[in-house]
């Protein structure tokens, strides 16, 4: 079995590229077309690209930002006209303690005054001293990266799921073929009975002969009906694989060989990589980070310089601070404008206080809820570990059954092959009828299909086992290979 691992690069070319294959009996030539025609994989690929773009946008929004604005421009017309506007410029660096710098001014151009007026021009710098903003941005970045990872995993698992679906469809076609063979065996058995009645001298008008003849006709109808049903399913399967149906019988379309694969044992994976355990562990981890960021206090400070401050009627140095005590609902804002460049020293002070009694009452309850949520998350993880034990037993049992069937199917096929060879020799020598030989041939073919179905069961089991775990190392390997191939391509272009 050739597993499609190229989640990046060539995998997308396979999905979105046009595929045209001629009819083939080899399973390996059918699988790529089935994957390429899967709309499920195309949707998953689109979703992954969307999430990656959103992550890139999130990184940009959390980085350096710069803004310019003219503000509202006011025009006054008449004998004396003027233009007034308030331009601003600001930039911020969220990762540097939410550092922000802003510049603003009110500018007036007046036709009656030859001197332009600049008022409330200011330069302001603000920074967080005690704040959850930095941690919250880190958490948001982790969540965004997690979304990308989960989208990549969905594409990765999508390939395995569609591959599993492909082999299940092939298995169902073999099962239909097996049913046809069973019906043919019943047909040959009834033909033998009819031949025996002929040899015993029964006439075509006798009840026994008519009954036997009717049984043969009914069996032939069942065989033909099942053959038509299988032909319809094979044509549908061919369309999904992107190949043309060019066979006289649907039985001749079926691949004659199924590749042997090594069994994927569940013990080869770490329990921590079990999908449920990994997902719940991540959820607990990120929720704990969020609960830890719920700081009880926050403090920020700002400083700046204002030209022609209307409050002080002079230039001024501006200082301010914001303090929040979340557990009590207390919010305190203090500030001062200190005049400079003037003989009169009259600082302006500002103060704002707010208090929310309900915050004090609910703070303790919120902490209790956080503790309960954390405890429940830990319980969920333990339940997932217990669930993994059950899944491991189920998968190991399934594998044991498949390996047991492999041995018995092989022995049965060898026995029926030997018997068919003997019957073929007896038929050529004239000791048995063609119907008796056909019976032996059907038994051999039925046992051969059981061997092939057993191989398919092992492939399907491997897919099911693989889907139980996260396999991020494959994603890293594919990305690394893509980077190497890209570098080689650039090198070749240079040459």
């Amino acid at each position: 079995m050739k597993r499609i691992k190229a989640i990046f690069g060539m995998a997308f070319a396979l999905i979105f590229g046009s595929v045209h294959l001629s009819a083939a009996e080899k399973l390996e030539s059918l699988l790529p077309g089935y994957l390429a025609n899967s709309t499920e994989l195309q949707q998953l690929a689109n979703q992954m690209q969307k999430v990656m773009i959103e992550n890139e946008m999130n990184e940009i929004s959390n980085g350096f930002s710069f803004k310019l604005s003219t503000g509202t421009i006011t025009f006054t017309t008449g004998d004396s006209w003027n233009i007034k506007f308030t331009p601003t410029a600001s930039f911020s660096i969220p990762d540097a303690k939410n550092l922000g710098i802003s510049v603003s001014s009110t500018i007036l151009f007046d036709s009656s005054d030859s001197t332009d007026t600049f008022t409330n021009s200011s330069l302001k710098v603000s920074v967080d001293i005690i704040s959850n903003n930095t941690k919250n941005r880190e958490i948001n970045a982790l969540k965004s990266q997690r979304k990308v990872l989960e989208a990549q995993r969905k594409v990765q698992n999508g390939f395995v799921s569609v591959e599993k679906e492909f082999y299940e469809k092939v298995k169902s076609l073999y099962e239909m073929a097996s049913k046809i063979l069973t019906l043919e065996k019943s047909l040959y058995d009834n033909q033998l009975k009819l031949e025996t009645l002929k040899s015993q001298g029964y006439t075509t008008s006798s009840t026994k002969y008519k009954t036997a003849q009717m049984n043969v006709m009914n069996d032939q109808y069942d065989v033909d009906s099942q053959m038509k049903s299988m032909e319809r399913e094979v044509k549908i399967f061919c369309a999904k694989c992107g190949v043309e149906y060019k066979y006289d019988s649907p039985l001749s379309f079926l691949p004659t060989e199924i590749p042997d694969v090594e069994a994927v044992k569940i013990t080869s994976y770490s329990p921590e990589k079990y999908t449920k355990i990994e997902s719940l562990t991540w959820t607990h981890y990120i929720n704990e980070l969020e609960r830890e960021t719920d700081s009880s206090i926050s403090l920020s400070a700002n400083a700046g310089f204002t030209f022609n401050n209307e409050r002080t009627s002079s230039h001024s140095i501006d200082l301010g601070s914001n303090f929040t005590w979340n557990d009590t609902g207390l919010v305190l804002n203090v500030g001062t404008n200190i005049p400079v460049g003037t003989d009169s020293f009259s600082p302006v002070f500002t103060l704002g206080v707010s208090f929310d009694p309900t915050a004090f009452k609910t703070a303790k309850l919120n902490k209790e809820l956080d503790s309960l949520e954390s405890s429940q998350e830990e319980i969920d993880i333990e339940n997932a570990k217990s669930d993994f034990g059950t899944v491991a037993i189920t998968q190991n049992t399934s594998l044991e059954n498949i390996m047991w069937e492999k041995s018995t199917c092989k022995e049965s096929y060898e026995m029926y092959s030997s018997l068919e060879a003997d019957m073929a020799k007896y038929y050529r020598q004239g000791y048995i009828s063609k119907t008796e030989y056909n019976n032996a041939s059907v038994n051999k073919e039925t046992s051969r299909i059981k061997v092939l179905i057993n191989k398919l069961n092992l492939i399907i089991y491997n897919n099911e086992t693989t889907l139980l775990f996260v396999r991020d190392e494959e994603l890293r390997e594919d990305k690394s290979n893509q980077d190497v191939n890209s570098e080689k391509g650039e090198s070749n272009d240079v040459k």
Side-chain angles (χ1 to χ4, degrees):
M1 177 183 61
K2 296 175 66 179
R3 181 166 312 284
I4 306 299
K5 288 186 177 180
I7 304 301
F8 305 98
M10 292 183 65
F12 295 128
L14 176 64
I15 296 176
F16 296 111
S18 59
V19 176
H20 177 74
L21 298 172
S22 59
E25 293 184 358
K26 289 188 177 180
L27 204 63
E28 294 88 339
S29 64
L30 298 174
L31 178 58
Y34 194 89
L35 291 169
N37 291 323
S38 171
T39 57
E40 177 185 346
L41 289 179
Q42 294 173 18
Q43 290 172 351
L44 290 173
N46 287 337
Q47 290 171 6
M48 186 184 80
Q49 290 176 323
K50 178 183 176 182
V51 170
M52 293 179 74
I53 292 173
E54 290 174 348
N55 179 63
E56 187 175 353
M57 293 174 63
N58 183 63
E59 290 177 350
I60 292 173
S61 64
N62 285 330
F64 173 83
S65 65
F66 180 69
K67 296 179 181 179
L68 287 174
S69 174
T70 62
T72 301
I73 302 176
T74 304
F75 298 89
T76 302
T77 60
D79 295 337
S80 177
W81 59 268
N82 61 64
I83 302 174
K84 181 180 180 180
F85 62 99
T86 307
T88 61
S90 65
F91 74 91
S92 62
I93 308 176
D95 288 338
K97 290 288 186 180
N98 211 25
L99 174 65
I101 299 177
S102 63
V103 179
S104 65
S105 179
T106 300
I107 303 176
L108 176 65
F109 297 98
D110 196 327
S111 62
S112 62
D113 190 346
S114 59
T115 304
D116 300 331
T117 305
F118 293 82
T119 59
N120 289 329
S121 300
S122 66
L123 171 66
K124 183 178 180 180
V125 179
S126 60
V127 67
D128 291 339
I129 299 175
I130 302 174
S131 172
N132 299 329
N133 291 331
T134 300
K135 290 183 178 179
N136 286 332
R137 279 191 295 273
E138 291 175 353
I139 291 173
N140 289 333
L142 288 174
K143 287 182 175 180
S144 181
Q145 293 165 9
R146 176 71 180 191
K147 285 183 178 180
V148 173
L149 177 61
E150 290 179 349
Q152 291 173 342
R153 287 175 178 175
K154 286 181 179 180
V155 175
Q156 179 190 41
N157 287 335
F159 275 95
V160 181
S161 296
V162 175
E163 181 183 296
K164 175 175 172 284
E165 176 185 282
F166 168 82
Y167 286 113
E168 287 174 339
K169 176 56 68 174
V170 174
K171 177 184 173 182
S172 70
L173 294 179
Y174 277 113
E175 289 173 341
M176 294 186 77
S178 179
K179 185 176 181 179
I180 290 174
L181 292 173
T182 300
L183 293 173
E184 285 184 343
K185 187 176 186 305
S186 177
L187 172 63
Y188 296 144
D189 288 339
N190 284 324
Q191 284 177 341
L192 277 175
K193 292 178 182 179
L194 184 61
E195 290 173 2
T196 300
L197 291 176
K198 286 181 180 179
S199 65
Q200 291 175 350
Y202 284 89
T203 63
T204 56
S205 60
S206 67
T207 303
K208 277 193 174 183
Y209 188 93
K210 288 182 178 180
T211 301
Q213 189 177 43
M214 185 61 68
N215 289 337
V216 171
M217 293 174 62
N218 288 336
D219 287 345
Q220 187 63 58
Y221 173 82
D222 291 340
V223 170
D224 294 341
S225 177
Q226 185 66 20
M227 191 73 76
K228 289 183 179 296
S229 296
M230 182 179 177
E231 184 177 28
R232 182 183 66 252
E233 293 301 318
V234 169
K235 287 181 178 179
I236 294 173
F237 183 68
C238 284
K240 290 185 176 181
C241 293
V243 301
E244 187 178 354
Y245 182 79
K246 294 181 178 179
Y247 293 90
D248 296 331
S249 167
L251 293 174
S252 59
F253 164 81
L254 293 178
T256 55
E257 291 293 334
I258 302 296
D260 292 311
V261 298
E262 293 292 330
V264 175
K265 295 183 179 179
I266 199 167
T267 53
S268 63
Y269 290 97
S270 169
E272 285 72 22
K273 292 186 176 182
Y274 179 52
T275 302
K276 289 184 179 180
I277 295 177
E278 192 277 340
S279 177
L280 290 170
T281 301
W282 156 258
T283 300
H284 181 59
Y285 166 73
I286 201 69
N287 286 346
E288 285 289 277
L289 286 182
E290 290 183 328
R291 286 187 282 264
E292 289 172 1
T293 59
D294 291 336
S295 174
S296 59
I297 62 172
S298 60
L299 177 65
S300 63
N302 59 79
F305 188 88
T306 301
F307 298 89
N308 301 324
N309 193 329
E310 292 179 345
R311 287 183 177 177
T312 61
S313 300
S314 67
H315 303 323
S316 68
I317 297 174
D318 309 316
L319 302 174
S321 179
N322 299 317
F323 174 79
T324 302
W325 189 356
N326 295 319
D327 290 347
T328 62
L330 176 66
V331 179
L332 178 64
N333 299 313
V334 296
T336 181
N337 304 115
I338 303 174
V340 294
T342 179
D343 294 335
S344 174
F345 184 75
S346 301
V348 177
F349 297 95
T350 59
L351 174 66
V353 181
S354 65
F355 176 68
D356 183 4
T358 59
F360 178 78
K361 295 178 180 179
T362 59
K364 183 178 180 181
L365 295 176
N366 285 330
K367 290 181 179 180
E368 290 179 359
L369 285 176
D370 287 345
S371 178
L372 289 172
E373 289 175 357
S374 178
S375 177
Q376 183 59 52
E377 290 165 5
E378 292 174 351
I379 292 173
D380 292 340
I381 293 173
E382 291 304 315
N383 287 336
K385 290 179 179 178
S386 176
D387 178 63
F388 173 73
T390 302
V391 170
I393 293 173
T394 301
Q395 291 302 105
N396 286 332
T397 302
S398 296
L399 180 58
E400 289 172 0
N401 291 338
I402 291 172
M403 301 312 292
W404 173 80
E405 288 177 355
K406 178 180 180 180
S407 176
T408 56
C409 288
K410 181 180 179 182
E411 291 177 0
S412 178
Y413 177 61
E414 290 174 350
M415 180 187 70
Y416 280 113
S417 295
S418 176
L419 179 60
E420 187 270 343
D422 292 339
M423 296 296 279
K425 181 176 64 175
Y426 296 150
Y427 172 63
R428 289 193 299 269
Q429 294 174 350
Y431 294 123
I432 63 172
S433 67
K434 188 175 187 301
T435 302
E436 289 175 302
Y437 168 71
N438 286 340
N439 206 327
S441 179
V442 164
N443 288 333
K444 173 192 173 182
E445 185 63 14
T446 300
S447 62
R448 186 184 74 85
I449 288 180
K450 286 182 179 180
V451 171
L452 297 178
I453 289 177
N454 175 263
K455 290 184 178 182
L456 288 169
N457 284 335
L458 181 56
I459 295 174
I460 293 169
Y461 158 84
N462 282 351
N463 287 332
E464 290 174 346
T465 303
T466 300
L467 289 170
L468 292 172
F469 300 91
V470 296
R471 306 173 307 285
D472 297 340
E473 65 280 355
E474 292 180 7
L475 295 174
R476 290 190 291 270
E477 179 183 342
D478 289 332
K479 186 64 169 63
S480 176
N481 290 337
Q482 182 191 13
D483 292 340
V484 171
N485 291 332
S486 177
E487 290 177 1
K488 288 182 177 179
E490 292 176 359
S491 177
N492 291 334
D493 291 340
V494 172
K495 292 180 180 179

